[in-house]
Amino acid sequence: MSVVRTLLSPRGAVFLLLAVLLVAVAVLSPGFAEPGQIMRFIQRVAPVAIVAIGQYFVIVAGEFDLSQGSLITAQVIIAGNLVGQDDSRTLPVLALMVVFGVVVGVVNGLLTTLLKVPSFIVTLGMMLALLGGVMWWTGGAATGNPADSFRQIGRGGLRDLPLIEFLPWAAPILAAWLALAVWLTRRPFGKMLIAIGDNAGAVRYAGARGWWIVTRAFIFSSLSATLTAVLLVGFAGVHPSVGRGYEFVAITAVVLGGVVLGGGRGWVVAAVAGAFVLEALFLLMNIAEVPATLRDAVQGVIIIAAVAYSGFAFQARRRPAPPTPPAPRPDDAVPPGAAEDAPASPVLAADGGTTRGE
């Protein structure tokens, strides 16, 4: 019974939904069950799952990061134009991308925490600023072509392996990033993030530096977007529209994973499962020849349904149970005839003394 309750909870339902979708895809397309195809599926999901991990840290603290998609685009353009065909530039450009991601995260975090500007407004402004800079740099056209050594990070992998045949680099990168995220959630940083999302005032009165904790969450979100950009350069190319909409896909995945908008509750592994659910759902729609124009509508419905289900489940969990009267104890029972044999209790007399009833 407890297993069923766990699977129907907001945290566990995403794993049940993922299993159903994968079975449906395998039934409609039997080739999907082959190990090589499953690895390709993980390779496609990895960029979304990594950016969802970063979005999780921000949402669980009660904030939003709408700048992820534009940051991905900016990082892809930086890589495509600065690396070029010179392999010796790969490491310096990667270092530059990390620094740029950290700067974006720090700006988002400090404006949100120290200046008390809502994160929705801050990251929306950052999204527009980054997108405008990309359009100014590229003129809205595809520019740059990084060396194959850089593109192999997202495109390549280990081949001719037993059983699985092909292991894309994206799979161990996703596993390592998820392991880091799980480790962080078990550290004081992760616990304080959840506490801030649940009751920021209590954390502030406890003397914790909430502004620095939330800023670090934005930095982690920007670094997740940077890592996603490195993977996307490999198989999506260098184009100003590469990262468009990734922030909303990440939010959808996080909500599907049972993370409460407004913060305070959530599990990062379930957020990653939400990314796999989205990709499996879109793959199923492609197999069923559902028009691609309906993808945004389906995504919107998923957000509404997941938020409604999560809110209903948590409200039901918070609802207090009706009080039950305590059972009488054997010592409280009065034996027959005890009332007549018992001495009368003292009664306060009018003059302040005591007298016993007749």
Side-chain angles (χ1 to χ4, degrees), residues 47-137:
V48 177
I50 290 173
V51 78
I53 292 173
Q55 190 71 240
Y56 161 84
F57 279 88
V58 176
I59 289 181
V60 83
E63 308 294 347
F64 286 97
D65 189 355
L66 300 182
S67 66
Q68 284 184 318
S70 295
L71 179 57
I72 291 171
T73 302
Q75 298 283 38
V76 166
I77 297 300
I78 289 173
N81 287 271
L82 297 186
V83 173
Q85 297 302 312
D86 189 352
D87 290 335
S88 64
R89 296 182 181 179
T90 297
L91 290 180
V93 171
L94 281 175
L96 175 63
M97 294 170 67
V98 170
V99 171
F100 183 63
V102 170
V103 170
V104 171
V106 168
V107 172
N108 285 339
L110 294 182
L111 290 178
T112 299
T113 56
L114 295 186
L115 297 185
K116 307 300 181 184
V117 181
S119 59
F120 184 89
I121 302 299
V122 171
T123 56
L124 178 63
M126 181 63 73
M127 177 183 73
L128 296 176
L130 291 174
L131 186 59
V134 167
M135 291 302 175
W136 172 79
W137 188 357

Side-chain angles (χ1 to χ4, degrees), residues 1-25:
M1 192 65 181
S2 60
V3 175
V4 175
R5 189 180 298 111
T6 301
L7 289 176
L8 294 179
S9 67
R11 176 184 292 188
V14 65
F15 297 98
L16 179 61
L17 181 59
L18 176 60
V20 171
L21 288 174
L22 291 179
V23 170
V25 172

Side-chain angles (χ1 to χ4, degrees), residues 331-350:
D331 297 342
D332 296 338
V334 179
E340 293 81 4
D341 300 334
S345 59
V347 179
L348 184 64

Side-chain angles (χ1 to χ4, degrees), residues 162-210:
L163 188 62
I164 62 173
E165 300 174 4
F166 172 65
L167 177 66
W169 296 125
I173 289 174
L174 170 59
W177 201 247
L178 177 58
L180 174 62
V182 171
W183 180 76
L184 288 175
T185 58
R186 296 173 182 265
R187 302 292 297 169
F189 165 67
K191 296 177 180 178
M192 289 300 296
L193 268 182
I194 295 177
I196 289 173
D198 188 48
N199 192 336
V203 174
R204 185 170 60 253
Y205 291 138
R209 294 189 300 172

